[in-house]
Amino acid sequence: QVQLVESGGGLVQAGGSLRLSCAASGQTFSTYNMGWFRQAPGKERDFVAAITWISGNTYYADSVKGRFSISRDNAKNTVYLQMNRLKLEDTAVYYCATDVRQLNNGWYAFGSWGQGTQVTVSS
């Protein structure tokens, strides 16, 4: 069983930056693809970004492309999400997940989920 703990969320002004971290512990699956999802109030949980564990290939939702960057440190079993030029609509709870896969109709996580970290962007 993999435990995921997100950190780095907070309150930031529009145009600012935050860096989220997700640390895995327990019985880790280091070869799983990992990613970030977010959920705003009253909305479904949406895909944000993913990274393949071995090669480091990255994938992004259109809404964050060019502003967010996902990276990982395999030795530390940690994945990061650098968020730049934040917008009001980026406000959400951000969740880290393992075993992230792209299917025909979107991105899904089939492994473990973290507890989430709140990101609030103010005007």
Side-chain angles (χ1 to χ4, degrees), residues 36 38 47-50 59-70 81-87 89-90 94:
W36 293 90
R38 66 186 183 185
F47 169 76
V48 176
Y59 307 87
Y60 299 94
D62 288 341
S63 59
V64 306
K65 197 172 298 181
R67 300 188 298 118
F68 291 10
S69 179
I70 188 171
L81 185 68
Q82 178 67 46
M83 305 185 294
N84 299 321
R85 301 186 301 281
L86 283 160
K87 303 176 179 180
E89 52 263 42
D90 294 321
Y94 284 71

Side-chain angles (χ1 to χ4, degrees), residues 6 80 85:
E6 301 99 332
Y80 306 93
R85 301 186 301 281

Side-chain angles (χ1 to χ4, degrees), residues 88-105:
L88 202 67
E89 52 263 42
D90 294 321
T91 295
V93 177
Y94 284 71
Y95 298 89
C96 178
T98 65
D99 199 9
V100 175
R101 311 177 192 178
Q102 185 181 33
L103 306 180
N104 286 339
N105 60 339

Side-chain angles (χ1 to χ4, degrees), residues 1-77:
Q1 189 72 34
V2 178
Q3 306 290 326
L4 301 177
V5 179
E6 301 99 332
S7 61
L11 177 64
V12 65
Q13 291 189 65
S17 298
L18 284 174
R19 190 194 192 204
L20 306 183
S21 298
C22 173
S25 62
Q27 299 183 32
T28 60
F29 299 88
S30 60
T31 59
Y32 279 5
N33 299 336
M34 298 186 68
W36 293 90
F37 296 74
R38 66 186 183 185
Q39 187 167 17
K43 295 185 177 181
E44 296 291 314
R45 191 171 297 185
D46 292 328
F47 169 76
V48 176
I51 186 167
T52 61
W53 202 243
I54 301 300
S55 65
N57 293 334
T58 58
Y59 307 87
Y60 299 94
D62 288 341
S63 59
V64 306
K65 197 172 298 181
R67 300 188 298 118
F68 291 10
S69 179
I70 188 171
S71 61
R72 83 279 190 269
D73 186 332
N74 292 21
K76 296 181 179 179
N77 284 324

